[in-house]
Amino acid sequence: MTVRLEESWKTHLHEEFEKPYWEKLTAFVKEEYAAGPVFPQGKNIFRAFDLTPFDEVKVVILGQDPYHTPGAAMGFCFSVPEGNRPQPSLQNIFKEIESDLGTPRTRTDLSDWAEQGVFLLNAVLTVRAGEAGSHAKKGWEFFTDSAITHLSNERENLVFILWGAYAISKKAFIDSGKHCVITSPHPSPFSAHKGFFGSKPFSKANAYLISKGKTPIDWA
């Protein structure tokens, strides 16, 4: 696996490439891409890092693993290429944006968020076609947990938006004394009605950013 990691991230995460898990992970990912369809495209594995350099991160939204259906995964969480039907979780995110901010969003490609400083990180960066979670516990989590830890330790006044039990478990790597942590149930249809709807994460994130003298995110 060729690592084309954006330079600012490479500065902070270079030690990961020397750890034993990385060699095993690289071999596994190469074998998987050679054996059959894996998402996202190889060139997009680190796209979340490429679009949002370390020093430009304002908000972190954490997903679990990429969409496992053809044409959906883009290299950052929840986003779907324009022209594709939004996945159910993204549809619910859009409903909450309109409810929270009073402004609808229809663009399924979330790269505009990434370019504004929203780090759209999946905990696992690859997935076998049609098999959700198929690349979990292969080493990716060590890498992405390290990214979260570096952000928590070396940046200040970030917003971490954690949806669902899995994302909320990552609070263990975040210093809530120096960052804003917003949690709720996941936006999936199975849990959105249990507290995601009405949680107002987008206005809360912007209020915090403004309170710290930062430019808010244009979510819509």
Side-chain angles (χ1 to χ4, degrees):
M1 177 171 55
T2 303
V3 180
R4 298 186 180 91
L5 196 61
E6 192 273 335
E7 283 302 318
S8 67
W9 282 106
K10 192 177 292 185
T11 298
H12 294 277
L13 297 176
H14 65 92
E15 292 180 356
E16 300 303 308
F17 306 133
E18 307 302 323
K19 295 180 179 179
Y21 83 83
W22 187 259
E23 185 176 353
K24 294 178 181 178
L25 173 63
T26 296
F28 169 76
V29 171
K30 284 181 177 178
E31 289 172 4
E32 287 286 287
Y33 273 90
V38 174
F39 304 129
Q41 290 181 297
K43 66 180 182 180
N44 289 332
I45 292 174
F46 298 100
R47 193 166 177 221
F49 297 83
D50 294 337
L51 288 180
T52 314
F54 184 88
D55 294 324
E56 296 178 18
V57 174
K58 295 179 182 178
V59 178
V60 179
I61 297 180
L62 187 68
Q64 198 154 350
D65 64 349
Y67 295 128
H68 56 85
T69 51
M74 299 181 66
F76 42 95
C77 66
F78 296 107
S79 186
V80 177
E82 283 303 299
N84 287 36
R85 179 178 174 79
Q87 300 284 327
S89 292
L90 186 57
Q91 292 181 41
N92 287 335
I93 289 169
F94 287 176
K95 289 177 183 177
E96 181 60 19
I97 288 173
E98 185 163 9
S99 171
D100 185 6
L101 305 176
T103 308
R105 180 183 175 100
T106 57
R107 185 182 176 196
T108 61
D109 181 343
L110 305 181
S111 58
D112 60 304
W113 290 4
E115 290 163 358
Q116 293 178 75
V118 182
F119 186 41
L120 297 163
L121 179 67
N122 276 317
V124 176
L125 299 186
T126 54
V127 68
R128 194 180 304 140
E131 297 182 45
S134 51
H135 288 189
K137 299 180 181 178
K138 301 296 184 181
W140 279 127
E141 294 90 342
F142 294 121
F143 182 74
T144 54
D145 287 350
S146 179
I148 295 168
T149 300
H150 278 281
L151 284 169
S152 177
N153 291 346
E154 296 161 38
R155 296 288 313 281
E156 293 184 352
N157 304 326
L158 301 182
V159 179
F160 290 84
I161 299 178
L162 309 178
W163 290 325
Y166 181 81
I168 291 170
S169 72
K170 301 298 182 177
K171 284 178 69 175
F173 303 103
I174 303 167
D175 183 349
S176 58
K178 59 190 285 199
H179 303 289
C180 173
V181 181
I182 298 170
T183 63
S184 81
H186 196 276
S188 95
F190 301 106
S191 55
H193 292 280
K194 298 177 182 178
F196 172 75
F197 289 135
S199 61
K200 301 185 180 299
F202 308 103
S203 60
K204 288 177 181 176
N206 278 352
Y208 180 82
L209 292 174
I210 291 169
S211 76
K212 300 301 180 181
K214 298 184 179 184
T215 305
I217 305 300
D218 180 0
W219 298 104

